[in-house]
């Protein structure tokens, strides 16, 4: 049967520039880690969704629906709701699963004793199907789907077809037939959900050599995808093996920052880029912390301050008897590492000095990488990076410390924020001002807190564990084999 689609959802994954990026520094960082880890994201929490979609998309021609785009969209919604219900059914006994689309609405529906209407439940929470909002682009990047020749939707690749078949084998033909029947009927009862627990989107007793797990491992490690994702997988495994302990994504970012990349390793390029990711994110944190500190100072001055007065008030206690370079070196002369300094800088009521210590540490220890920063973060539009900010710091080094820091706050924080926020208000309608300028003075509008970005490595660690390459004890035997094959 030929499938003719009548349109295509115009959905794109929203980046930082669509939300709160008050100094226009987050978008380049997101672009970097997106390129490094294509195929995973911070919202694609459950790797079994990849298997499910490869199977369920292939089932569309077999349903008694019109073969149109809108019908396909309904097909996806029906499957997602059923998968969510099967995943969270009896969660008091089986355990709660994070990362299930529409979990709150599904949980409420499961608490009722009546038959569940799939379409009504989907309408409660699915403005956009999870498939379009998160998974479709990632599954495509993973090499499991590709745009069809005759319509705008995605269809499974040969690897995706094999994964869909393996998923069917894993859940069993009878549960699969029941799943299909419930989707056709548009309703499901508790007793039928009890028979659909094979669809639960996690792996409990799956063995590493199960066909579904093996195919997911093949896709995840990049054998059919991008080299950067593959090399990042290898870098994670090697780091866990070297450290001999369980690591979080937060651990990785500082280990990779403070470890010198080895040009002899195949993961050298990726290590350099991940190092610059953390350097850029920490720089952003330092400047955004200055922004929120400035807002706090404004709150304490009810009559308002001019931009120059605000900058002067913030730096009142900064010494004037030495130049900026000398002062930065003094601030950087500490045994604290970047992680400790970053956490101190983002505490709820951080004073000025902890924020400046973080900035000084980054400048002192990594200023020699300025040309490398320019390669990793080429100039682009309005966005600002470690390269642009370190360049600016270099122009201030001979000034008195108080004057230099006042200039940093005025030029790179206050005025930039007003420019970024006003542009965003014009083009997107997002009101993101921390303060606003009126009749020569600034007045606070809202307060905020800065935090580290989420670079998808946490998702990758979880996925590597689910496909048998990592465990709480460290790198598994399969993980060792993966490392050996990539030395």
């Amino acid at each position: 049967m030929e499938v003719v689609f009548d349109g295509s959802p115009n959905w794109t994954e929203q980046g930082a520039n669509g939300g709160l990026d008050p100094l226009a520094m987050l978008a380049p960082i997101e672009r970097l880690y997106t390129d490094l880890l294509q195929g995973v994201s911070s919202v694609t929490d459950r790797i079994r969704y990849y298997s499910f979609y490869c199977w369920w998309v292939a089932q569309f021609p077999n349903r008694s629906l019109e073969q149109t785009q809108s019908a396909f969209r309904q097909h996806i919604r029906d499957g997602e709701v059923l998968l969510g219900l099967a995943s969270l059914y009896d969660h008091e006994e089986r355990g709660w699963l994070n990362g299930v689309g529409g979990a709150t609405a599904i949980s409420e529906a499961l608490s009722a004793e009546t038959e569940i209407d799939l379409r009504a439940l989907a309408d409660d929470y699915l403005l956009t199907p999870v498939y379009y909002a998160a998974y479709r682009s990632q599954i495509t990047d993973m090499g499991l789907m590709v745009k069809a020749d005759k319509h705008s939707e995605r269809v499974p690749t040969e690897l995706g077809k094999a994964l869909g078949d393996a998923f069917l084998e894993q859940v069993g033909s009878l549960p699969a037939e029941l799943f299909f029947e419930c989707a056709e009927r548009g309703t499901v009862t508790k007793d039928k959900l009890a028979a659909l627990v094979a669809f639960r989107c996690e792996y409990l007793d799956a063995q590493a050599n199960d066909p579904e797990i093996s195919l997911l491992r093949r896709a995840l490690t990049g054998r059919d995808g991008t080299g950067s994702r593959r090399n990042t997988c290898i870098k994670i495994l090697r780091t866990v093996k070297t450290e001999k302990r369980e690591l979080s994504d937060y651990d990785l970012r500082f280990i990779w920052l403070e470890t010198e990349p080895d040009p002899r390793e195949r993961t050298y390029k990726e290590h350099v880029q991940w190092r610059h990711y953390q350097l850029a994110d920490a720089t952003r944190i330092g400047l955004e912390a200055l922004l929120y500190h400035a807002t706090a100072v404004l709150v304490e001055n009810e009559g308002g301050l001019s931009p120059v007065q605000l900058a002067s008030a913030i730096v009142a206690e900064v010494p004037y008897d030495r130049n900026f370079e000398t002062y930065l070196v003094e601030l950087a002369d500490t045994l604290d590492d970047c992680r400790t300094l970053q956490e101190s800088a983002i505490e709820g009521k951080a004073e000025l000095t902890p924020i400046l210590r973080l900035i000084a540490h980054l400048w002192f220890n990594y200023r020699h990488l300025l040309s490398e920063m320019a390669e990793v973060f080429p100039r682009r539009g309005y966005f600002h990076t470690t390269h642009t900010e370190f360049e600016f710091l270099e122009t201030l080094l001979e000034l008195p410390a108080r004057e230099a820091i006042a200039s940093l706050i005025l030029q790179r924080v206050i005025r930039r924020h007003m420019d970024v926020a006003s542009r965003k208000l014009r083009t997107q309608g997002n009101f993101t001002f921390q303060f606003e300028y009126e009749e020569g003075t600034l007045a606070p509008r809202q307060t905020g807190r800065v935090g580290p970005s989420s670079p998808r490595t946490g998702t990758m660690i979880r996925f590597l564990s689910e496909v048998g390459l990592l465990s709480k004890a460290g790198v598994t035997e399969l993980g060792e084999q993966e490392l050996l094959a990539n030395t």
Side-chain angles (χ1 to χ4, degrees):
M1 181 182 297
E2 182 177 337
V3 183
V4 180
F5 288 102
D6 55 11
S8 178
N10 185 22
W11 186 92
T12 55
E13 188 174 5
Q14 184 163 318
N17 58 328
L20 183 58
D21 186 11
L23 297 177
M25 295 188 70
L26 188 54
I29 296 168
E30 287 191 330
R31 185 177 291 112
L32 176 61
Y33 68 64
T34 297
D35 290 342
L36 283 164
L37 276 180
Q38 292 183 8
V40 297
S41 76
S42 57
V43 293
T44 50
D45 279 2
R46 292 287 168 183
I47 198 170
R48 206 174 193 208
Y49 267 94
Y50 293 62
S51 304
F52 167 74
Y53 285 124
C54 286
W55 172 72
W56 189 237
V57 165
Q59 297 305 307
F60 176 58
N62 300 324
R63 288 193 66 182
S64 57
L65 295 171
E66 294 181 4
Q67 300 297 292
T68 63
Q69 172 79 52
S70 57
F72 179 79
R73 191 181 181 91
Q74 187 61 62
H75 173 73
I76 292 296
R77 285 165 66 93
D78 292 342
E80 288 178 350
V81 173
L82 264 176
L83 183 70
L85 288 165
S87 295
L88 297 180
Y89 171 74
D90 199 22
H91 59 79
E92 294 87 354
E93 291 295 325
R94 299 175 185 276
W96 181 262
L97 290 183
N98 294 320
V100 175
T104 301
I106 287 172
S107 181
E108 291 174 357
L110 286 169
S111 65
E113 294 299 325
T114 58
E115 188 174 51
I116 298 172
D117 185 323
L118 302 182
R119 306 286 169 84
L121 177 54
D123 289 340
D124 281 346
Y125 75 90
L126 280 180
L127 295 176
T128 300
V130 177
Y131 173 71
Y132 291 118
Y135 282 92
R136 184 179 70 165
S137 60
Q138 305 304 330
I139 292 173
T140 302
D141 287 341
M142 196 74 78
L144 297 169
M145 286 192 185
V146 67
K147 187 178 178 299
D149 293 332
K150 296 183 179 181
H151 53 77
S152 60
E153 268 302 338
R154 306 295 189 271
V155 294
T157 60
E158 289 304 314
L159 179 60
K161 291 176 185 176
L163 180 59
D165 291 343
F167 175 82
L168 174 60
E169 180 183 341
Q170 193 73 25
V171 299
S173 58
L174 291 179
E177 289 173 10
L178 178 59
F179 191 96
F180 202 95
E181 290 171 9
C182 291
E184 284 288 280
R185 189 181 304 110
T187 61
V188 67
T189 58
K190 296 286 186 68
D191 63 315
K192 288 184 171 59
L193 284 176
L196 291 177
V197 293
F199 280 84
R200 185 175 168 91
C201 57
E202 73 166 353
Y203 298 109
L204 293 176
D205 301 318
Q207 301 300 310
N209 60 350
D210 287 343
E212 184 185 348
I213 296 287
S214 298
L215 288 166
L216 279 172
R217 185 165 59 246
R218 174 180 163 188
L220 181 66
T221 56
R223 297 176 193 176
D224 298 270
T226 65
S228 290
R229 186 179 71 244
R230 180 169 182 75
N231 286 344
T232 296
C233 286
I234 298 306
K235 189 65 183 173
I236 291 173
L237 293 173
R238 185 170 290 131
T239 304
V240 171
K241 182 177 180 179
T242 300
E243 294 290 316
K244 299 178 181 178
R245 60 189 174 97
E246 188 177 10
L247 297 176
S248 68
D249 65 319
Y250 198 62
D251 296 324
L252 286 177
R253 65 182 75 194
F254 294 103
I255 293 172
W256 291 347
L257 171 67
E258 293 163 356
T259 304
E260 195 68 29
D262 186 347
R264 297 169 299 178
E265 293 185 350
R266 65 170 293 167
T267 58
Y268 172 71
K269 183 185 76 170
E270 285 73 25
H271 188 169
V272 168
Q273 291 175 311
W274 280 114
R275 190 186 202 191
H276 280 284
Y277 154 75
Q278 179 53 34
L279 179 56
D281 204 46
T283 303
R284 174 192 65 84
I285 284 171
L287 291 178
E288 286 190 15
L290 282 177
L291 171 64
Y292 296 131
H293 182 72
T295 307
V297 172
L298 269 182
V299 170
E300 295 172 357
N301 289 268
E302 296 181 4
L305 296 170
S306 72
V308 173
Q309 288 173 331
L310 175 56
S312 298
I314 294 171
V315 301
E317 297 182 8
V318 174
Y320 198 83
D321 61 351
R322 68 207 78 171
N323 66 23
F324 186 42
E325 182 172 16
T326 302
Y327 187 55
L328 284 176
V329 173
E330 289 176 4
L331 289 172
D333 185 21
T334 173
L335 295 178
D336 289 334
D337 56 20
C338 183
R339 181 173 187 161
T340 302
L341 293 168
Q342 177 173 300
E343 290 169 356
S344 297
I346 62 178
E347 288 179 357
K349 295 183 179 180
E351 298 299 323
L352 178 63
T353 300
I355 300 172
L356 294 178
R357 285 192 186 281
L358 172 62
I359 295 171
H361 173 89
L362 297 172
W363 169 82
F364 183 78
N365 288 284
Y366 302 104
R367 62 185 294 196
H368 66 285
L369 299 177
L370 195 60
S371 61
E372 200 171 88
M373 294 173 200
E375 295 177 12
V376 175
F377 292 110
R379 292 184 186 276
R380 185 175 294 164
Y382 292 105
F383 296 122
H384 306 278
T385 66
T386 42
H387 181 226
T388 62
E389 303 318 289
F390 275 40
E391 272 191 331
F392 183 74
L393 289 177
E394 294 286 323
T395 68
L396 305 176
L397 294 179
E398 298 304 316
L399 294 177
R402 188 185 304 171
E403 181 181 334
I405 296 171
S407 180
L408 172 67
I409 293 169
L410 186 62
Q411 300 296 329
R412 313 308 273 192
V413 176
I414 297 173
R415 290 177 179 167
R416 181 189 291 169
H417 173 61
M418 290 191 293
D419 177 59
V420 170
S422 61
R423 277 192 287 107
K424 192 169 294 185
L425 186 61
R426 288 196 306 271
T427 60
Q428 300 176 15
N430 293 13
F431 188 86
T432 58
F433 288 97
Q434 293 299 304
F435 39 75
E436 61 182 355
Y437 187 70
E438 186 174 343
E439 297 183 356
T441 62
L442 295 168
R445 294 294 299 176
Q446 60 183 341
T447 58
R449 292 190 65 181
V450 62
S453 62
S454 179
R456 306 181 177 189
T457 44
T459 304
M460 180 56 79
I461 290 171
R462 184 164 57 255
F463 283 4
L464 289 171
S465 299
E466 290 194 42
V467 300
L469 299 176
L470 283 177
S471 71
K472 289 187 178 298
V475 178
T476 64
E477 183 177 343
L478 277 172
E480 292 282 4
Q481 293 174 14
E482 197 74 34
L483 280 174
L484 186 62
N486 289 277
T487 52

